[in-house]
Amino acid sequence: MPAAQRRRHFFLMALIDALLAGFTLGGMYVLLALGLNLQYGVARIMNLSYGELLIAAAFLALVLFNQFGVAPWITLALVVPLAFVVGLGIYRLLLTPLVKRSRSREALEVDSILATFGLLFLIQGLMLVAFGGNYYSYSFLATPIHVLGTTVAANRLLALAIALVAGCGLYLLLTRTRIGTAIRAVAVDPQSAQLVGIDVRMLAAVAFALGAALVGVAGVSISMFLTFNATFGVLFTMKALIVVIMGGVGNLLGCVIAGLLLGLAESFVSTFLDPGLTLAASFGLFLTILLVRPQGLFGRAGR
Amino acid sequence: MSVTHALREAAPPVANRRPLLIAAAIAAVVGLAILASVPQFANDYVIGLAISLLIYINLATAWALFSGTTRYVSLATVAFFGVGCYTVAVLGEKLPWPAVLLVAAAIGIVLALIVGLTTLRLSGMYFVIFSFGLTELVRQLVTWHETKLAGSLGRYVFLDLRGPHIYWQLLALAVILFAVCWWIHRSRLGFAIRLIGEDEAAARHSGVNTTAAKLAVFVISSVFMVLVGAIVAPRWTYIDPIIAFSPLVSFQVVIMALLGGAARFYGPIFGVVPLVFLFEILIARFPNHFSIVLGVIFLLIVYALPRGVLGWFIDQWMKRKARRPA
């Protein structure tokens, strides 16, 4: 093979690698962000302990797999109702008093940030006591699969499939059911929703709990292929936030596109520029979008 | 009603407060003299504790100066603090010490101007997230620069500045900071930012240049944060991005200022003093439970003391005063 052709061949391979890695990563980000989008877009709670719930679900999958040999997809079926109840509990116990107390949306936002900050450290601290600062991972479906001339681990593809199912399920729930329509109405305008007989406070609780269930799903899926420790939560919260704000708060489709975009951007920076710059690139992208279009790429009119 | 008129209305009558002010001034001078003489009789451990107290008094007061009054919650404290550390790490041995501090302050002003001009248009939530993202971005960029271009992650700071020197500098900085806060509190600028905190739209409609006011206070507050970082850097001797840009510092500053009460400039001290001692004990005795206690304190503040210790005392005092017929 002549040198030029070989170089082109290598470039093409790297491109396919980056695309594939970008899509699997992006799918993960979408799944990660869907729950936060519900919590912030509908319940108007900026939940900074979001990533901690994700790590908690990951630890649950780890313990069940290592101690009892329970496969992650069974954990998945378990974690959805469990996380839903936990989310409902958090909303009822911790956040309802704040919702009642706050006079304006801004006041609620600041209060909820501070309260969920406390929750962040509390959950993280509990996990640190239980698991220490060690890194954990387990091996499940780590077999390589050949796709388009490169290899991907089967568990990553499974996680991508879970992300697709969860995303489509949420989409159908929101667009095809009565409660989904009501949730969307609350996301658009809580005051008007109240006028047409929607119980806003109840639906906000449901949306918050649904968000918790989704983050549980994300946590179990991520635990299949990622090494994690008790302090990783903040990183995931930030990633989810970036995707939510990029896509536009409360915008499901925007969330999907933004998640994929972020995954691709990171994988391209890491492949073609420098792996050390991926985090800087994602924060840079985020800050730029925040400045230029605070309402998000596909958001409705900003505040 | 014009702003100046409102300000004059709001200002308390001066005459009957004069003896109180003189007494306060004498007490401040005496107290300061005692504080300044601490290194003469204290051992290294006490000086170390006093230094952490002063670090957080400076940071929390500077934070409250901007975030407490305007209610723009900033999580970027450590970004400025870390920039101060790194200025010293890079320039510490090349320039005389006062020049290093001046350069650090200048860098702080430029950084705060850039950040302020771009972000202060963002409202509430977005500002919080931006300030946190900014810290992470700065840390990632510094990490990348150090590993890729400078060759090693950490830097050593060998300067002949011992505990007492750092203590005195931080004390002096705190005095200046309090003077600046007091001056801003009484000036038109202070009135403007308090108005912004109450209702930004109303402030804008009554003729306050909100962007300029916010920017000015943000820059002042940031410069103090940079200077704290610069002054403390020689104490550590070894600096890397994880130490200098630890997000925990930002969180601790917020929680201390809020516990004390961020609405008044002398409020944060009431949160700093108990929490620095508490954290000291926690790290020594129960290092594993640090996060849990931090979380519980956060929740306690939000639910039980939303206006801080100082706000709580003021509320109690007002209640008693209201009960007693005047």
Side-chain angles (χ1 to χ4, degrees), chain B residues 81-124:
Chain B
F81 178 84
V83 164
C85 290
Y86 262 88
T87 312
V88 172
V90 175
L91 295 176
E93 288 167 39
K94 293 178 186 130
L95 293 174
W97 184 242
V100 175
L101 289 185
L102 276 180
V103 172
I107 293 175
I109 290 174
V110 173
L111 190 66
L113 275 176
I114 296 171
V115 173
L117 275 175
T118 45
T119 61
L120 288 174
R121 253 171 291 236
L122 298 170
S123 61

Side-chain angles (χ1 to χ4, degrees), chain A residues 168-270:
Chain A
C168 293
L170 184 65
Y171 179 77
L172 291 177
L173 180 75
L174 288 184
T175 51
R176 297 282 187 277
T177 66
R178 210 176 148 74
I179 195 166
T181 311
I183 285 178
R184 280 187 297 140
V186 176
V188 173
D189 190 341
Q191 259 132 30
S192 311
Q194 212 152 19
L195 292 180
V196 294
I198 293 171
D199 185 348
V200 172
R201 204 163 276 171
M202 198 271 280
L203 275 177
V206 168
F208 190 86
L210 260 181
L214 280 168
V215 79
V217 172
V220 174
S221 330
I222 286 173
S223 76
M224 290 193 298
F225 61 86
L226 214 67
T227 306
F228 55 94
N229 86 5
T231 61
F232 267 26
V234 182
L235 207 66
F236 287 109
T237 309
M238 278 318 286
K239 282 283 163 64
L241 259 178
I242 291 174
V243 174
V244 168
I245 289 178
M246 265 170 68
V249 175
N251 186 332
L252 208 63
L253 194 64
C255 184
V256 171
I257 295 172
L260 291 177
L261 213 63
L262 188 70
L264 286 173
E266 284 194 359
S267 117
F268 269 78
V269 168
S270 139

Side-chain angles (χ1 to χ4, degrees), chain B residues 259-314:
Chain B
L259 178 64
R264 283 178 174 70
F265 67 85
Y266 46 84
I269 288 192
F270 295 91
V272 171
V273 175
L275 284 185
V276 165
F277 283 110
L278 178 70
F279 291 158
E280 183 75 19
I281 296 168
L282 276 179
I283 288 173
R285 296 269 174 83
F286 313 100
N288 296 328
H289 299 78
F290 185 77
S291 298
I292 299 182
V293 176
L294 198 66
V296 170
I297 297 172
F298 246 114
L299 292 172
L300 263 179
I301 294 172
V302 176
Y303 292 100
L305 290 170
R307 295 183 54 221
V309 174
L310 187 65
W312 185 80
F313 275 116
I314 290 171

Side-chain angles (χ1 to χ4, degrees), chain A residues 27-38:
Chain A
M28 226 45 260
Y29 288 155
V30 174
L31 183 57
L32 189 63
L34 284 175
L36 192 72
N37 206 350
L38 270 182

